[in-house]
Amino acid sequence: MDLTRCGLLVENAETVARLYARHRDWTVVEERWLEERHDERSTRGSSRGIYRVLSSRFKTASPNLPAVTQLPSVFDQCETRRGKAQVLYFYLVEDDPLVKYVVHRYVQRFQNASDEGLDFSQETVDRFLNEFHYDDGSEFDYADSTTHRWGKGLRSVLREIDVLETQQSLQGRAPNVGTIPLLVASGYSYENDGKEWLSRPVGWHYLFQPEQYWDSLAERVSGHPDWEASGIHGELRLQPVGETFAWAERAEENE
């Protein structure tokens, strides 16, 4: 239930990633974090707790996402804070099976009912949480106060990535996606499903992009020099020219 402790914390997560890219040693990163008290909390214990949640998202990161050492250059290329949040969102989803499950359930609703499927009221969140089962077969079983905090954490994340508009909003929408998070989402989809990824763009699904947007998204990606489009029997294929996240590596080399 790490989402009850903190959401994306964009600036702090970016700091952790930059510290790791500089030192390449998680022990040193934690020491530097605690010395500088980057999370601005009042106690060392709470500071360490926040660090462990944020660093876990990077330590367990899927190989289908940019490496932690690439993230500083990824962040540098993001045009907005929202873009950084949308990138970090993928690391949260990959690290937290409960978040991933709930996102999948919302994606299913969204595909079937368009924007009407994005009801993030606590009642709907509770229903999804109560359907969740762990790998050992045990059910989700937490106090109402805990699930309420978890729901607040989820809605905080959704505001950060532009799915929810305001603190009071409960009805979600398809967010605007910048170039860099679009490249990350597309690369993630390609790494998950290979050349056929456009038939099921999981990264676009996670960012709640409806199917009517896909042609426009594909056109944007194909316009990037690190991606190429081709047609086989009238079917569009879109894939990286070389390594999926080479665009981040080159930016890193130029620093």
Side-chain angles (χ1 to χ4, degrees):
M1 298 292 284
D2 284 342
L3 204 57
T4 63
R5 183 183 291 270
C6 69
L8 294 180
L9 294 182
V10 175
E11 288 78 12
N12 287 337
E14 180 177 355
T15 295
V16 171
R18 290 186 184 277
L19 283 171
Y20 183 78
R22 185 182 311 144
H23 299 289
R24 311 292 177 106
D25 183 324
W26 285 113
T27 300
V28 175
V29 173
E30 182 173 9
E31 291 172 354
R32 296 291 183 272
W33 170 271
L34 293 173
E35 285 172 5
E36 300 176 29
R37 305 294 294 277
H38 283 297
D39 67 341
E40 299 179 355
R41 297 243 169 173
S42 58
T43 69
R44 190 175 180 86
S46 60
S47 182
R48 180 178 283 110
I50 293 295
Y51 167 79
R52 287 178 176 171
V53 172
L54 295 179
S55 62
S56 172
R57 296 172 187 171
F58 298 136
K59 291 177 183 178
T60 62
S62 166
N64 300 337
L65 290 167
V68 183
T69 53
Q70 293 174 303
L71 279 176
S73 61
V74 171
F75 293 140
D76 288 343
Q77 294 178 73
C78 287
E79 297 177 350
T80 63
R81 184 182 185 277
R82 181 189 66 216
K84 295 178 182 181
Q86 289 172 346
V87 170
L88 288 167
Y89 165 71
F90 282 98
Y91 293 84
L92 167 64
V93 170
E94 282 295 294
D95 178 59
D96 192 322
L98 191 56
V99 173
K100 195 169 196 175
Y101 172 79
V102 172
V103 168
H104 269 283
R105 294 290 284 115
Y106 273 109
V107 165
Q108 291 171 347
R109 286 167 58 94
F110 184 58
Q111 288 175 294
N112 294 332
S114 189
D115 288 355
E116 296 178 2
L118 298 184
D119 168 24
F120 293 103
S121 64
Q122 190 62 42
E123 180 182 5
T124 302
V125 171
D126 285 346
R127 185 164 68 251
F128 290 158
L129 291 176
N130 289 329
E131 294 171 357
F132 180 78
H133 288 75
Y134 293 97
D135 289 339
D136 62 4
S138 60
E139 298 181 354
F140 179 87
D141 185 21
Y142 287 90
D144 290 346
S145 59
T146 302
T147 58
H148 183 72
R149 289 200 310 275
W150 195 93
K152 288 181 64 176
L154 177 65
R155 287 186 288 273
S156 171
V157 169
L158 295 168
R159 285 193 297 273
E160 293 273 26
I161 67 171
D162 197 38
V163 172
L164 290 176
E165 188 173 6
T166 68
Q167 186 85 20
Q168 292 75 34
S169 299
L170 297 176
Q171 189 65 42
R173 61 185 183 180
N176 293 317
V177 179
T179 298
I180 298 306
L182 177 58
L183 290 176
V184 171
S186 302
Y188 175 79
S189 302
Y190 176 81
E191 290 292 328
N192 269 282
D193 293 311
K195 294 180 180 179
E196 307 299 327
W197 72 274
L198 271 178
S199 64
R200 181 182 168 273
V202 62
W204 296 359
H205 284 319
Y206 284 177
L207 285 175
F208 303 104
Q209 298 300 296
E211 190 168 352
Q212 61 264 34
Y213 289 8
W214 291 1
D215 286 346
S216 174
L217 295 175
E219 184 176 354
R220 288 173 61 192
V221 174
S222 66
H224 192 274
D226 279 22
W227 283 76
E228 60 183 1
S230 60
I232 299 179
H233 305 301
E235 181 180 347
L236 175 66
R237 284 194 173 179
L238 192 58
Q239 62 190 68
V241 174
E243 294 294 324
T244 303
F245 300 110
W247 52 270
E249 292 173 359
R250 283 201 300 272
E252 182 184 24
E253 290 169 0
N254 292 333
E255 289 183 351

